[in-house]
Amino acid sequence: MKEKSQEIDNFLVGLLHDVVSKLVKEVKMNKNVNTKSGPNDLVTNFDKSTEKGIVEIIKEHYPDSSVVSEEGFGDDIKSMSGLVFFVDPIDGTMNFVKCHDSFASMVGVYLDGEPFVGAIINVMQDKIYHGGPELGVFENDQRLSEPINQELKEGLVVISGPMVLKNYLNTQDVVGKSSGIRIFGCAGIVFEHLLTGKEIIYMSYLKPWDLAAGRVLCESLGLSVARVDEKPVDMLQSQVVIAGTKKAVSEVLKTVKI
Amino acid sequence: MKEKSQEIDNFLVGLLHDVVSKLVKEVKMNKNVNTKSGPNDLVTNFDKSTEKGIVEIIKEHYPDSSVVSEEGFGDDIKSMSGLVFFVDPIDGTMNFVKCHDSFASMVGVYLDGEPFVGAIINVMQDKIYHGGPELGVFENDQRLSEPINQELKEGLVVISGPMVLKNYLNTQDVVGKSSGIRIFGCAGIVFEHLLTGKEIIYMSYLKPWDLAAGRVLCESLGLSVARVDEKPVDMLQSQVVIAGTKKAVSEVLKTVKI
């Protein structure tokens, strides 16, 4: 199994570097961007064409796998059996459109429902985070060490803007018990920060492709990923997720009110 | 006057590059950090020693100037007459301590109360933003063009966490009228984003050394800097400030309730 995960890891690193990074830079020149339904639901033609390309390459290399992706070029799956790829070609679309920075591309791979391999590329910084439970986690070629298991008060937290502004699930109490809040508008960037110890909590409502790669990498590096209702994380549905150090996730689970 | 501002601009670029950047990298190795009064009021020994060094160098080069600085190594001034330097050696102390990233050093210079020259260095990215009304604004050696004068709905806003979580001054309505909120924990980084068009509004309670350099650079690049109470900005006191595109600042002033 280690050989298989190493092979898929190599495949994902190549895929994200060669396909996504090049295309994103190309489209950044063109700024060929349009909006679908207002300023908070931006989708780019680029997003769709990139996803289509990624899905095709995965299907070519792994014809027996399933692919789940945001814009619907993948499969509509009912079970997690076998090899399942979750694809988010542009995570942080608003940042992509407004800032031309701070966005990511992500692919998470699960084998019979278990986290197997994940890769997140911070496109504009050209840094790729990749690995899995059998491989460890790498920033480009450098192996990352496990972040210190800090308590909530010791670190910064990231909570989705709409959630924390309305104090949904008592999230403002989570902020109050921490060293402060940050909001970046991109799940992939936040997972990068968790893996490198910059923040210690991420709480947000995440779709399967928002969560898939980050969950693989976090759990492979000694971090915890939990549902706010403490049920098992379900990769077939969207859910409110808390990711971070084991100590801080445990404190957040005691602080939130569902 | 243009010669004088060019001379001070060169001085600030040299100062921030040679003194601050080197020292920050040095101390980052040592992580010689202590806390003064709890996790939200972190001050480092480094911060103090850096400030002392900067103040000494300014006084050596400009003996007739006044210097205002956070840790108190400068002067206690009652008027803005003559040349006044505002120094913030580490802006974004929490980011410095927790993330070892996303912090800045800033110096803003005023002549007889008017914005004259400013410089902000994004230390870990080694990018310096500098210039003034007579010089224009530069990112390193490259001249920046004026950001597009976007409306509030077209862009992202940054509002200080404590302010927006409590809906202080009706700030949540500002978020609702925009494309979304970001929180970074460092005024210097946000001014960088305004200058490069990544966000279009920054609203926060700022001390003179938090505001000085950013105000010079924003106003030199066609952006607007206003007090929330619409009184003239006063560099001798702290105040709630709204900085950003002219159109968006005008909309925010109509949206906030004081």
Short mmCIF file of all heavy atoms in Angstrom, two decimals, chain A residues 119-174:
data_model
loop_
_atom_site.label_atom_id
_atom_site.label_comp_id
_atom_site.label_asym_id
_atom_site.label_seq_id
_atom_site.Cartn_x
_atom_site.Cartn_y
_atom_site.Cartn_z
N ALA A 119 -3.06 16.49 -1.74
CA ALA A 119 -2.13 17.51 -2.22
C ALA A 119 -2.86 18.85 -2.35
O ALA A 119 -3.97 18.91 -2.86
CB ALA A 119 -1.54 17.12 -3.57
N ILE A 120 -2.22 19.88 -1.81
CA ILE A 120 -2.74 21.26 -1.89
C ILE A 120 -1.63 22.14 -2.42
O ILE A 120 -0.54 22.15 -1.86
CB ILE A 120 -3.13 21.77 -0.48
CG1 ILE A 120 -4.25 20.92 0.13
CG2 ILE A 120 -3.56 23.25 -0.55
CD1 ILE A 120 -4.58 21.27 1.59
N ILE A 121 -1.89 22.85 -3.49
CA ILE A 121 -0.87 23.78 -3.98
C ILE A 121 -1.32 25.23 -3.77
O ILE A 121 -2.43 25.62 -4.14
CB ILE A 121 -0.49 23.50 -5.46
CG1 ILE A 121 0.75 24.32 -5.86
CG2 ILE A 121 -1.63 23.76 -6.42
CD1 ILE A 121 1.43 23.83 -7.14
N ASN A 122 -0.47 26.00 -3.08
CA ASN A 122 -0.63 27.45 -2.96
C ASN A 122 -0.06 28.01 -4.26
O ASN A 122 1.16 28.12 -4.43
CB ASN A 122 0.14 27.94 -1.73
CG ASN A 122 0.05 29.46 -1.56
OD1 ASN A 122 -0.07 30.20 -2.53
ND2 ASN A 122 0.13 29.91 -0.33
N VAL A 123 -0.96 28.31 -5.19
CA VAL A 123 -0.55 28.51 -6.58
C VAL A 123 0.43 29.66 -6.74
O VAL A 123 1.49 29.51 -7.35
CB VAL A 123 -1.79 28.74 -7.47
CG1 VAL A 123 -1.37 28.99 -8.91
CG2 VAL A 123 -2.71 27.52 -7.39
N MET A 124 0.11 30.83 -6.18
CA MET A 124 0.95 32.00 -6.44
C MET A 124 2.30 31.92 -5.72
O MET A 124 3.26 32.57 -6.11
CB MET A 124 0.22 33.29 -6.07
CG MET A 124 -1.05 33.51 -6.88
SD MET A 124 -0.84 33.27 -8.66
CE MET A 124 0.23 34.66 -9.05
N GLN A 125 2.36 31.13 -4.63
CA GLN A 125 3.66 30.95 -3.96
C GLN A 125 4.37 29.69 -4.44
O GLN A 125 5.48 29.40 -4.01
CB GLN A 125 3.48 30.91 -2.44
CG GLN A 125 3.03 32.24 -1.86
CD GLN A 125 3.32 32.34 -0.36
OE1 GLN A 125 4.01 31.52 0.23
NE2 GLN A 125 2.75 33.36 0.25
N ASP A 126 3.69 28.93 -5.32
CA ASP A 126 4.25 27.71 -5.87
C ASP A 126 4.77 26.77 -4.78
O ASP A 126 5.86 26.19 -4.89
CB ASP A 126 5.38 28.06 -6.86
CG ASP A 126 5.66 26.89 -7.81
OD1 ASP A 126 4.77 26.03 -7.98
OD2 ASP A 126 6.77 26.84 -8.37
N LYS A 127 3.98 26.63 -3.72
CA LYS A 127 4.33 25.69 -2.65
C LYS A 127 3.28 24.59 -2.63
O LYS A 127 2.09 24.88 -2.56
CB LYS A 127 4.32 26.39 -1.28
CG LYS A 127 5.56 27.20 -1.01
CD LYS A 127 5.55 27.70 0.43
CE LYS A 127 6.73 28.61 0.69
NZ LYS A 127 6.63 29.30 1.98
N ILE A 128 3.74 23.34 -2.68
CA ILE A 128 2.79 22.23 -2.68
C ILE A 128 2.96 21.41 -1.40
O ILE A 128 4.07 21.06 -1.01
CB ILE A 128 2.91 21.37 -3.96
CG1 ILE A 128 1.80 20.33 -4.02
CG2 ILE A 128 4.26 20.71 -4.10
CD1 ILE A 128 1.55 19.78 -5.41
N TYR A 129 1.84 21.15 -0.75
CA TYR A 129 1.78 20.34 0.47
C TYR A 129 1.18 19.01 0.07
O TYR A 129 0.09 18.99 -0.49
CB TYR A 129 0.95 21.06 1.53
CG TYR A 129 1.59 22.38 1.88
CD1 TYR A 129 1.36 23.51 1.10
CD2 TYR A 129 2.51 22.48 2.92
CE1 TYR A 129 2.00 24.71 1.37
CE2 TYR A 129 3.16 23.67 3.20
CZ TYR A 129 2.90 24.78 2.41
OH TYR A 129 3.56 25.95 2.65
N HIS A 130 1.87 17.92 0.35
CA HIS A 130 1.39 16.63 -0.15
C HIS A 130 1.87 15.49 0.74
O HIS A 130 2.84 15.63 1.48
CB HIS A 130 1.88 16.42 -1.59
CG HIS A 130 3.38 16.42 -1.71
ND1 HIS A 130 4.11 15.25 -1.79
CD2 HIS A 130 4.29 17.42 -1.73
CE1 HIS A 130 5.40 15.55 -1.87
NE2 HIS A 130 5.53 16.86 -1.84
N GLY A 131 1.16 14.36 0.64
CA GLY A 131 1.53 13.18 1.41
C GLY A 131 0.31 12.41 1.86
O GLY A 131 -0.77 12.56 1.29
N GLY A 132 0.51 11.61 2.90
CA GLY A 132 -0.59 10.79 3.40
C GLY A 132 -0.13 10.03 4.63
O GLY A 132 1.02 10.15 5.05
N PRO A 133 -1.05 9.23 5.19
CA PRO A 133 -0.72 8.54 6.45
C PRO A 133 0.48 7.60 6.33
O PRO A 133 1.20 7.39 7.32
CB PRO A 133 -2.01 7.78 6.78
CG PRO A 133 -2.86 7.84 5.55
CD PRO A 133 -2.44 9.03 4.77
N GLU A 134 0.72 7.05 5.15
CA GLU A 134 1.85 6.12 5.00
C GLU A 134 3.12 6.81 4.56
O GLU A 134 4.19 6.18 4.51
CB GLU A 134 1.48 5.03 3.99
CG GLU A 134 0.25 4.24 4.42
CD GLU A 134 0.00 3.05 3.52
OE1 GLU A 134 0.62 2.01 3.76
OE2 GLU A 134 -0.80 3.17 2.58
N LEU A 135 3.02 8.09 4.22
CA LEU A 135 4.15 8.80 3.61
C LEU A 135 4.71 9.92 4.48
O LEU A 135 5.87 10.31 4.33
CB LEU A 135 3.70 9.43 2.28
CG LEU A 135 3.12 8.48 1.24
CD1 LEU A 135 2.50 9.27 0.10
CD2 LEU A 135 4.19 7.52 0.73
N GLY A 136 3.88 10.46 5.37
CA GLY A 136 4.20 11.73 6.02
C GLY A 136 3.74 12.87 5.12
O GLY A 136 3.15 12.65 4.07
N VAL A 137 4.03 14.09 5.56
CA VAL A 137 3.57 15.27 4.82
C VAL A 137 4.77 16.13 4.45
O VAL A 137 5.68 16.35 5.26
CB VAL A 137 2.56 16.10 5.66
CG1 VAL A 137 2.12 17.34 4.90
CG2 VAL A 137 1.35 15.23 6.01
N PHE A 138 4.76 16.62 3.23
CA PHE A 138 5.89 17.38 2.69
C PHE A 138 5.44 18.76 2.21
O PHE A 138 4.35 18.90 1.66
CB PHE A 138 6.51 16.62 1.51
CG PHE A 138 7.15 15.32 1.94
CD1 PHE A 138 6.37 14.19 2.15
CD2 PHE A 138 8.52 15.24 2.13
CE1 PHE A 138 6.95 12.99 2.57
CE2 PHE A 138 9.11 14.05 2.54
CZ PHE A 138 8.33 12.91 2.76
N GLU A 139 6.31 19.76 2.41
CA GLU A 139 6.18 21.05 1.73
C GLU A 139 7.22 21.02 0.62
O GLU A 139 8.42 21.01 0.89
CB GLU A 139 6.45 22.20 2.69
CG GLU A 139 6.36 23.57 2.03
CD GLU A 139 6.79 24.71 2.96
OE1 GLU A 139 6.02 25.08 3.84
OE2 GLU A 139 7.94 25.19 2.80
N ASN A 140 6.76 20.96 -0.62
CA ASN A 140 7.65 20.66 -1.75
C ASN A 140 8.43 19.38 -1.42
O ASN A 140 7.82 18.34 -1.20
CB ASN A 140 8.54 21.85 -2.08
CG ASN A 140 7.72 23.07 -2.52
OD1 ASN A 140 6.64 22.91 -3.09
ND2 ASN A 140 8.20 24.25 -2.25
N ASP A 141 9.75 19.42 -1.33
CA ASP A 141 10.51 18.19 -1.05
C ASP A 141 10.87 18.03 0.42
O ASP A 141 11.54 17.06 0.80
CB ASP A 141 11.82 18.21 -1.87
CG ASP A 141 11.53 18.13 -3.36
OD1 ASP A 141 10.46 17.60 -3.73
OD2 ASP A 141 12.37 18.61 -4.14
N GLN A 142 10.44 18.99 1.23
CA GLN A 142 10.88 18.97 2.62
C GLN A 142 9.80 18.40 3.54
O GLN A 142 8.66 18.87 3.55
CB GLN A 142 11.20 20.42 3.04
CG GLN A 142 12.04 20.47 4.29
CD GLN A 142 12.42 21.90 4.65
OE1 GLN A 142 12.33 22.81 3.83
NE2 GLN A 142 12.85 22.10 5.88
N ARG A 143 10.20 17.39 4.33
CA ARG A 143 9.25 16.75 5.23
C ARG A 143 8.87 17.70 6.36
O ARG A 143 9.73 18.33 6.98
CB ARG A 143 9.90 15.50 5.83
CG ARG A 143 8.92 14.57 6.49
CD ARG A 143 9.60 13.43 7.22
NE ARG A 143 8.60 12.47 7.63
CZ ARG A 143 8.30 11.38 6.95
NH1 ARG A 143 8.98 11.06 5.86
NH2 ARG A 143 7.34 10.58 7.37
N LEU A 144 7.57 17.81 6.64
CA LEU A 144 7.12 18.67 7.74
C LEU A 144 7.08 17.87 9.03
O LEU A 144 6.74 16.68 9.04
CB LEU A 144 5.72 19.21 7.45
CG LEU A 144 5.57 20.22 6.30
CD1 LEU A 144 4.10 20.59 6.12
CD2 LEU A 144 6.41 21.47 6.56
N SER A 145 7.44 18.54 10.13
CA SER A 145 7.29 17.87 11.43
C SER A 145 5.93 18.25 12.03
O SER A 145 5.30 19.24 11.63
CB SER A 145 8.43 18.25 12.37
OG SER A 145 8.52 19.65 12.45
N GLU A 146 5.49 17.41 12.97
CA GLU A 146 4.18 17.60 13.58
C GLU A 146 4.13 18.95 14.30
O GLU A 146 5.03 19.25 15.10
CB GLU A 146 3.97 16.45 14.57
CG GLU A 146 2.54 16.08 14.79
CD GLU A 146 2.43 14.79 15.63
OE1 GLU A 146 2.94 13.73 15.20
OE2 GLU A 146 1.83 14.87 16.72
N PRO A 147 3.09 19.75 14.07
CA PRO A 147 2.97 21.01 14.84
C PRO A 147 2.82 20.71 16.33
O PRO A 147 2.28 19.66 16.72
CB PRO A 147 1.68 21.64 14.29
CG PRO A 147 1.46 20.99 12.97
CD PRO A 147 2.00 19.60 13.10
N ILE A 148 3.29 21.63 17.17
CA ILE A 148 3.14 21.49 18.63
C ILE A 148 1.65 21.43 18.97
O ILE A 148 0.85 22.17 18.42
CB ILE A 148 3.81 22.68 19.35
CG1 ILE A 148 5.32 22.69 19.05
CG2 ILE A 148 3.58 22.60 20.86
CD1 ILE A 148 5.99 24.00 19.40
N ASN A 149 1.31 20.53 19.89
CA ASN A 149 -0.09 20.34 20.28
C ASN A 149 -0.53 21.46 21.23
O ASN A 149 -0.68 21.25 22.43
CB ASN A 149 -0.25 18.96 20.91
CG ASN A 149 -1.71 18.60 21.19
OD1 ASN A 149 -2.63 19.27 20.73
ND2 ASN A 149 -1.90 17.55 21.98
N GLN A 150 -0.76 22.65 20.68
CA GLN A 150 -1.05 23.82 21.51
C GLN A 150 -2.51 23.87 21.95
O GLN A 150 -3.40 23.37 21.27
CB GLN A 150 -0.72 25.10 20.73
CG GLN A 150 0.78 25.31 20.59
CD GLN A 150 1.11 26.61 19.88
OE1 GLN A 150 0.60 26.86 18.80
NE2 GLN A 150 1.95 27.43 20.49
N GLU A 151 -2.73 24.52 23.09
CA GLU A 151 -4.09 24.79 23.57
C GLU A 151 -4.67 25.98 22.82
O GLU A 151 -3.95 26.78 22.24
CB GLU A 151 -4.05 25.11 25.07
CG GLU A 151 -3.66 23.94 25.92
CD GLU A 151 -3.45 24.35 27.37
OE1 GLU A 151 -4.19 25.22 27.86
OE2 GLU A 151 -2.54 23.79 28.00
N LEU A 152 -6.00 26.10 22.92
CA LEU A 152 -6.71 27.15 22.20
C LEU A 152 -6.16 28.54 22.50
O LEU A 152 -5.96 29.36 21.60
CB LEU A 152 -8.21 27.06 22.57
CG LEU A 152 -9.19 27.95 21.83
CD1 LEU A 152 -9.02 27.85 20.32
CD2 LEU A 152 -10.62 27.61 22.24
N LYS A 153 -5.88 28.82 23.76
CA LYS A 153 -5.42 30.17 24.14
C LYS A 153 -4.06 30.51 23.54
O LYS A 153 -3.70 31.68 23.45
CB LYS A 153 -5.38 30.32 25.66
CG LYS A 153 -4.32 29.46 26.33
CD LYS A 153 -4.27 29.66 27.83
CE LYS A 153 -3.16 28.79 28.43
NZ LYS A 153 -3.23 28.72 29.89
N GLU A 154 -3.33 29.50 23.13
CA GLU A 154 -1.96 29.74 22.65
C GLU A 154 -1.88 30.10 21.17
O GLU A 154 -0.80 30.45 20.68
CB GLU A 154 -1.11 28.49 22.87
CG GLU A 154 -0.94 28.10 24.33
CD GLU A 154 -0.12 26.82 24.46
OE1 GLU A 154 -0.69 25.72 24.25
OE2 GLU A 154 1.08 26.92 24.76
N GLY A 155 -3.00 29.97 20.45
CA GLY A 155 -2.87 30.14 19.00
C GLY A 155 -4.00 30.94 18.38
O GLY A 155 -5.00 31.29 19.01
N LEU A 156 -3.81 31.22 17.09
CA LEU A 156 -4.79 31.94 16.29
C LEU A 156 -5.79 30.97 15.67
O LEU A 156 -5.44 29.83 15.35
CB LEU A 156 -4.07 32.71 15.17
CG LEU A 156 -3.11 33.80 15.66
CD1 LEU A 156 -2.17 34.23 14.54
CD2 LEU A 156 -3.86 34.99 16.22
N VAL A 157 -7.03 31.43 15.53
CA VAL A 157 -8.07 30.58 14.94
C VAL A 157 -8.60 31.22 13.66
O VAL A 157 -8.63 32.43 13.52
CB VAL A 157 -9.25 30.35 15.92
CG1 VAL A 157 -8.75 29.68 17.19
CG2 VAL A 157 -9.99 31.63 16.25
N VAL A 158 -9.02 30.37 12.74
CA VAL A 158 -9.68 30.82 11.51
C VAL A 158 -11.09 30.26 11.52
O VAL A 158 -11.28 29.04 11.67
CB VAL A 158 -8.94 30.34 10.26
CG1 VAL A 158 -9.65 30.83 8.99
CG2 VAL A 158 -7.49 30.82 10.27
N ILE A 159 -12.07 31.12 11.42
CA ILE A 159 -13.48 30.70 11.38
C ILE A 159 -14.11 31.42 10.20
O ILE A 159 -13.81 32.60 9.95
CB ILE A 159 -14.21 31.03 12.70
CG1 ILE A 159 -13.49 30.37 13.88
CG2 ILE A 159 -15.67 30.58 12.64
CD1 ILE A 159 -14.08 30.70 15.24
N SER A 160 -14.98 30.74 9.48
CA SER A 160 -15.56 31.37 8.29
C SER A 160 -16.29 32.65 8.69
O SER A 160 -16.95 32.71 9.74
CB SER A 160 -16.50 30.42 7.57
OG SER A 160 -17.76 30.42 8.16
N GLY A 161 -16.18 33.69 7.87
CA GLY A 161 -16.74 35.00 8.17
C GLY A 161 -18.22 34.97 8.51
O GLY A 161 -18.62 35.41 9.59
N PRO A 162 -19.07 34.44 7.62
CA PRO A 162 -20.51 34.44 7.90
C PRO A 162 -20.85 33.74 9.22
O PRO A 162 -21.75 34.16 9.95
CB PRO A 162 -21.09 33.67 6.71
CG PRO A 162 -20.09 33.83 5.61
CD PRO A 162 -18.76 33.90 6.29
N MET A 163 -20.11 32.67 9.54
CA MET A 163 -20.36 31.90 10.76
C MET A 163 -20.04 32.73 12.01
O MET A 163 -20.83 32.84 12.94
CB MET A 163 -19.47 30.65 10.70
CG MET A 163 -19.87 29.54 11.60
SD MET A 163 -18.82 28.07 11.30
CE MET A 163 -19.82 27.20 10.12
N VAL A 164 -18.88 33.35 12.02
CA VAL A 164 -18.44 34.03 13.25
C VAL A 164 -19.12 35.39 13.41
O VAL A 164 -19.38 35.81 14.54
CB VAL A 164 -16.89 34.13 13.29
CG1 VAL A 164 -16.36 35.20 12.34
CG2 VAL A 164 -16.40 34.37 14.71
N LEU A 165 -19.45 36.07 12.32
CA LEU A 165 -20.12 37.38 12.47
C LEU A 165 -21.48 37.22 13.14
O LEU A 165 -21.91 38.07 13.91
CB LEU A 165 -20.27 38.09 11.12
CG LEU A 165 -19.00 38.57 10.42
CD1 LEU A 165 -19.32 39.56 9.31
CD2 LEU A 165 -18.00 39.18 11.39
N LYS A 166 -22.17 36.11 12.81
CA LYS A 166 -23.49 35.88 13.40
C LYS A 166 -23.40 35.09 14.71
O LYS A 166 -24.42 34.71 15.27
CB LYS A 166 -24.38 35.11 12.41
CG LYS A 166 -24.59 35.82 11.08
CD LYS A 166 -25.33 37.14 11.25
CE LYS A 166 -25.29 37.98 9.97
NZ LYS A 166 -25.26 39.43 10.23
N ASN A 167 -22.19 34.83 15.17
CA ASN A 167 -21.97 34.01 16.37
C ASN A 167 -22.66 32.64 16.27
O ASN A 167 -23.10 32.05 17.26
CB ASN A 167 -22.46 34.74 17.64
CG ASN A 167 -21.92 34.09 18.90
OD1 ASN A 167 -20.88 33.43 18.88
ND2 ASN A 167 -22.64 34.25 20.00
N TYR A 168 -22.75 32.14 15.04
CA TYR A 168 -23.35 30.82 14.79
C TYR A 168 -22.59 29.74 15.55
O TYR A 168 -21.36 29.71 15.55
CB TYR A 168 -23.31 30.56 13.28
CG TYR A 168 -23.89 29.24 12.83
CD1 TYR A 168 -25.24 28.95 13.03
CD2 TYR A 168 -23.10 28.29 12.19
CE1 TYR A 168 -25.78 27.74 12.61
CE2 TYR A 168 -23.63 27.08 11.76
CZ TYR A 168 -24.97 26.82 11.97
OH TYR A 168 -25.48 25.61 11.55
N LEU A 169 -23.32 28.88 16.25
CA LEU A 169 -22.72 27.78 17.04
C LEU A 169 -21.84 28.30 18.19
O LEU A 169 -20.98 27.57 18.68
CB LEU A 169 -21.91 26.83 16.15
CG LEU A 169 -22.67 26.14 15.02
CD1 LEU A 169 -21.68 25.40 14.11
CD2 LEU A 169 -23.72 25.17 15.56
N ASN A 170 -22.05 29.57 18.59
CA ASN A 170 -21.27 30.14 19.70
C ASN A 170 -19.79 30.32 19.33
O ASN A 170 -18.91 30.29 20.19
CB ASN A 170 -21.39 29.25 20.95
CG ASN A 170 -21.02 29.96 22.23
OD1 ASN A 170 -21.29 31.16 22.37
ND2 ASN A 170 -20.40 29.26 23.14
N THR A 171 -19.55 30.56 18.04
CA THR A 171 -18.15 30.63 17.59
C THR A 171 -17.41 31.84 18.15
O THR A 171 -16.17 31.81 18.23
CB THR A 171 -18.09 30.68 16.05
OG1 THR A 171 -19.17 31.45 15.55
CG2 THR A 171 -18.17 29.29 15.46
N GLN A 172 -18.12 32.90 18.55
CA GLN A 172 -17.40 34.06 19.09
C GLN A 172 -16.74 33.73 20.42
O GLN A 172 -15.72 34.32 20.79
CB GLN A 172 -18.33 35.27 19.22
CG GLN A 172 -18.76 35.79 17.84
CD GLN A 172 -19.27 37.23 17.87
OE1 GLN A 172 -19.26 37.89 18.91
NE2 GLN A 172 -19.73 37.71 16.72
N ASP A 173 -17.31 32.75 21.15
CA ASP A 173 -16.65 32.29 22.38
C ASP A 173 -15.34 31.57 22.07
O ASP A 173 -14.39 31.63 22.85
CB ASP A 173 -17.57 31.32 23.14
CG ASP A 173 -18.21 31.98 24.34
OD1 ASP A 173 -18.27 33.23 24.36
OD2 ASP A 173 -18.63 31.26 25.26
N VAL A 174 -15.32 30.87 20.94
CA VAL A 174 -14.07 30.21 20.51
C VAL A 174 -13.00 31.27 20.27
O VAL A 174 -11.85 31.14 20.72
CB VAL A 174 -14.31 29.37 19.24
CG1 VAL A 174 -12.99 28.80 18.71
CG2 VAL A 174 -15.32 28.25 19.50
#
